[in-house]
Amino acid sequence: MATTTIPIVTVMFDPIASGLVGSIARPGGNITGVTVAGGFEITGKRMGLLVEAMPKMSTVGFLATRPWWEDRRGAAAREAAKQAGLSLKAALPGSPFNEAEYQRVFKSMEQDRADALMVSEESEHLTNRATIVELAAKARIPAIYSNREFVELGGLMAYGSDPSGHQSPPRQPRR
């Protein structure tokens, strides 16, 4: 490293995998910053939440672009599904990202008999979140998303970082 005293602020997907830090909780040295998606481990956490919500499912559709599916992020999703004893089917939209393309992908997931859906963190999906949430509801397929904005539109659940720093209000106890 070129410096050990000047603070280095990063914004990246997974600083552990890149070898920049040894731990998110304690990066050490002069490195600090934000992990945009919580690293590869967050995929396993999302898969675990789907399993908790749908313990009898066997097949999960993974909505991701081809580059995402083919790199380490897709490998992390496949490994998380394997660890959970699930089959993971790629749901790969082509370009352009529009409603017709997402409809095609959802039809493909119906043919694959996907029991649930996990949506990657890609910005294309966030831009098209209303379409994705609507199609998931229409297909009656439970889905987990990486961003709260999907849930705000009616999506089932989300688990991920919140770059806005917004905190959910505390839950009120039921009476």
Side-chain angles (χ1 to χ4, degrees):
M1 185 165 295
T3 178
T4 57
T5 57
I6 299 172
I8 299 172
V9 180
T10 68
V11 177
M12 59 190 321
F13 180 76
D14 190 346
I16 296 171
S18 70
L20 193 58
V21 300
S23 163
I24 297 290
R26 301 199 185 287
N30 57 329
I31 305 289
T32 189
V34 176
T35 59
V36 177
F40 296 111
E41 296 82 15
I42 202 164
T43 304
K45 181 65 175 176
R46 286 189 192 116
M47 193 70 68
L49 290 169
L50 269 179
V51 169
E52 283 186 49
M54 303 271 307
K56 295 184 181 187
M57 73 175 170
S58 62
T59 304
V60 176
F62 185 55
L63 183 60
T65 62
R66 184 166 301 284
W68 189 284
W69 175 255
E70 292 175 350
D71 72 14
R72 294 184 328 194
R73 297 164 296 188
R78 290 188 293 278
E79 181 60 26
K82 180 180 172 186
Q83 293 294 322
L86 300 170
S87 172
L88 188 67
K89 301 287 184 174
L92 308 174
S95 189
F97 293 93
N98 58 31
E99 186 171 345
E101 186 58 18
Y102 282 106
Q103 287 173 348
R104 182 194 65 75
V105 168
F106 271 82
K107 283 184 182 166
S108 172
M109 281 191 297
E110 284 180 43
Q111 292 171 348
D112 288 339
R113 300 181 189 261
D115 300 309
L117 170 66
M118 183 170 12
V119 178
S120 72
E121 294 94 357
E122 295 166 281
S123 61
E124 294 87 353
H125 304 319
L126 187 58
T127 301
N128 291 284
R129 63 189 173 273
T131 297
I132 295 168
V133 168
E134 180 182 321
L135 289 169
K138 186 177 177 183
R140 301 181 55 84
I141 185 165
I144 188 163
Y145 307 96
S146 61
N147 303 84
R148 69 181 293 128
E149 289 86 352
F150 288 90
V151 175
E152 290 169 351
L153 291 174
L156 177 63
M157 63 181 156
Y159 187 82
S161 61
D162 187 358
S164 72
H166 183 274
Q167 294 182 342
S168 297
R171 293 184 179 208
Q172 298 299 318
R174 290 189 173 177
R175 295 178 188 217

